[in-house]
């Protein structure tokens, strides 16, 4: 009887200790996750990423590797600047030189990843396969656009203008909303052999074959039908749009496939 009572007491004590320890351990785990996110290093590559062939498109300190469209020596007085490790478009300052920011290098088969956010009700984009030539006055005349959109913008309800879609040509493959200003979105763009895929926060939002008849038909039925150079190239520069709204970018990295 005494032995049974002792076992019962020990069991109760163990349960009490477990109940006290469990919330503490749970808190420690959650706190560790918070600190890991807070202290995450941006605009740097892990050793494994370097081995996989990733390169930074934005080094977190300078605009090296970028210039304004059709203006090779132009970023010094432009709306584009680096602020606290973030590539920032100061689009509301009218004293700044206006223009889309494009890569010095052209890319063909690649995987591109970056984080972004737009100002409240902001609208912008990232263009691929941009052809830089005096015959073209804007990046959108040749480059298909990955739409960047803050949720409060009125275009959020327009299928061909939703975030992550191929602007003006294809609606979202899977419905997904962008995060509001103050929170970071993650974009992934893959292009290989003329086939492209757009992702927003882990979900596929667009998929096209730029060499297909279906793609040419879509262009012919879109607002780009009178733009002879649009969507034809499968190699070109990557461009960030300066479109009257503040925008922020970080962790821009690319690897050639």
């Amino acid at each position: 009887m005494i032995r049974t009572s002792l076992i019962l007491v020990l069991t109760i004590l163990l349960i009490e200790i477990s109940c006290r320890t469990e919330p503490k351990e749970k808190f420690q785990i959650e706190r560790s996750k918070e600190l890991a996110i807070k202290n995450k290093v941006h605009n740097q590559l892990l050793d494994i990423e370097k081995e996989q062939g990733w390169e930074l498109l934005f080094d977190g300190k300078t605009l090296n590797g970028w210039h304004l469209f059709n203006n090779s020596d132009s970023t010094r007085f432009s709306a584009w600047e680096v602020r606290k490790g973030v590539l920032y478009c100061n689009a509301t300052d009218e004293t700044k030189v206006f223009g889309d920011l494009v890569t010095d290098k052209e890319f063909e088969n690649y995987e591109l990843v970056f984080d972004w956010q737009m100002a409240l009700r902001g609208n912008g984009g990232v263009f691929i396969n941009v052809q830089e030539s005096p015959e073209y006055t804007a990046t959108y005349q040749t480059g298909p656009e990955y739409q960047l959109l803050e949720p409060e913008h009125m275009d959020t309800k327009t299928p061909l203008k939703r975030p992550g879609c191929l602007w003006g040509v294809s609606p979202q493959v899977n419905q997904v909303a962008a995060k509001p200003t103050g929170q970071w979105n993650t974009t992934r763009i893959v292009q290989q052999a003329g086939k492209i895929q757009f992702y927003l926060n882990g979900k596929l939002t667009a998929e096209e074959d730029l060499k297909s008849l279906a793609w040419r038909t879509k262009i012919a039925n879109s607002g780009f039908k009178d733009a002879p150079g649009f969507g034809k190239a499968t190699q070109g520069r990557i461009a960030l749009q300066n479109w009257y709204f503040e925008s922020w970018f970080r962790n821009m990295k690319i690897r050639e496939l």
Side-chain angles (χ1 to χ4, degrees):
M1 183 70 179
I2 295 173
R3 185 178 178 182
T4 304
S5 300
L6 184 60
I7 292 172
L8 182 61
V9 170
L10 288 172
T11 302
I12 293 172
L13 285 173
L14 286 171
I15 292 172
E16 287 182 357
I17 292 170
S18 176
C19 291
R20 291 175 186 173
T21 304
E22 209 172 283
K24 184 178 179 181
E25 288 179 348
K26 185 177 180 183
F27 171 78
Q28 289 174 336
I29 292 171
E30 290 179 351
R31 183 59 177 162
S32 296
K33 288 180 179 179
E34 287 178 13
L35 290 172
I37 293 171
K38 184 177 180 180
N39 297 323
K40 182 180 179 181
V41 178
H42 300 290
N43 308 312
Q44 292 187 25
L45 296 175
L46 301 173
D47 289 339
I48 185 64
E49 291 176 316
K50 294 176 183 177
E51 292 175 10
Q52 293 171 342
W54 289 97
E55 298 178 10
L56 290 177
L57 269 185
F58 169 56
D59 62 16
K61 300 175 182 178
T62 70
L63 293 178
N64 291 347
W66 298 84
H67 62 274
L68 292 191
F69 180 69
N70 277 344
N71 193 342
S72 60
D73 185 20
S74 54
T75 57
R76 184 178 177 188
F77 302 106
S78 76
W80 297 93
E81 57 186 90
V82 180
R83 287 190 179 182
K84 297 181 180 179
V86 174
L87 179 54
Y88 168 61
C89 183
N90 190 4
T92 60
D93 188 342
E94 296 183 359
T95 68
K96 301 291 185 178
V97 176
F98 183 90
D100 291 353
L101 194 67
V102 300
T103 55
D104 293 346
K105 185 178 178 181
E106 292 189 351
F107 298 93
E108 184 174 11
N109 300 312
Y110 61 89
E111 181 178 3
L112 169 67
V113 178
F114 59 90
D115 298 333
W116 62 272
Q117 58 174 287
M118 298 292 303
L120 182 64
R121 300 184 184 87
N123 178 3
V126 174
F127 302 91
I128 61 172
N129 303 329
V130 171
Q131 304 300 296
E132 193 169 32
S133 168
E135 66 181 299
Y136 302 118
T137 59
T139 56
Y140 60 76
Q141 292 178 344
T142 58
E145 178 184 357
Y146 180 110
Q147 170 76 319
L148 306 181
L149 201 67
E150 205 277 334
E152 293 298 318
H153 193 282
M154 61 182 180
D155 285 348
T156 298
K157 298 179 181 180
T158 305
L160 294 182
K161 297 181 180 181
R162 285 183 55 76
C165 80
L166 212 160
W167 191 92
V169 181
S170 302
Q172 289 181 337
V173 173
N174 297 298
Q175 189 168 346
V176 54
K179 297 176 183 178
T181 186
Q183 298 182 37
W184 290 96
N185 295 278
T186 298
T187 284
R188 179 170 169 249
I189 296 175
V190 181
Q191 175 171 274
Q192 191 163 27
K195 296 179 180 179
I196 60 173
Q197 293 178 327
F198 289 174
Y199 294 84
L200 173 60
N201 297 327
K203 288 189 176 181
L204 179 70
T205 50
E207 189 168 29
E208 293 289 349
D209 184 349
L210 304 184
K211 296 181 178 180
S212 68
L213 175 60
W215 171 248
R216 293 194 294 273
T217 300
K218 286 184 178 182
I219 294 176
N221 294 322
S222 74
F224 297 102
K225 60 184 179 182
D226 296 321
F230 178 80
K232 290 186 174 180
T234 56
Q235 177 177 337
R237 304 184 194 279
I238 295 166
L240 310 181
Q241 189 178 39
N242 178 355
W243 195 247
Y244 310 108
F245 300 96
E246 291 176 297
S247 56
W248 297 263
F249 300 86
R250 71 180 186 189
N251 298 328
M252 302 192 73
K253 58 187 178 182
I254 193 168
R255 67 169 176 168
E256 298 193 56
L257 302 175

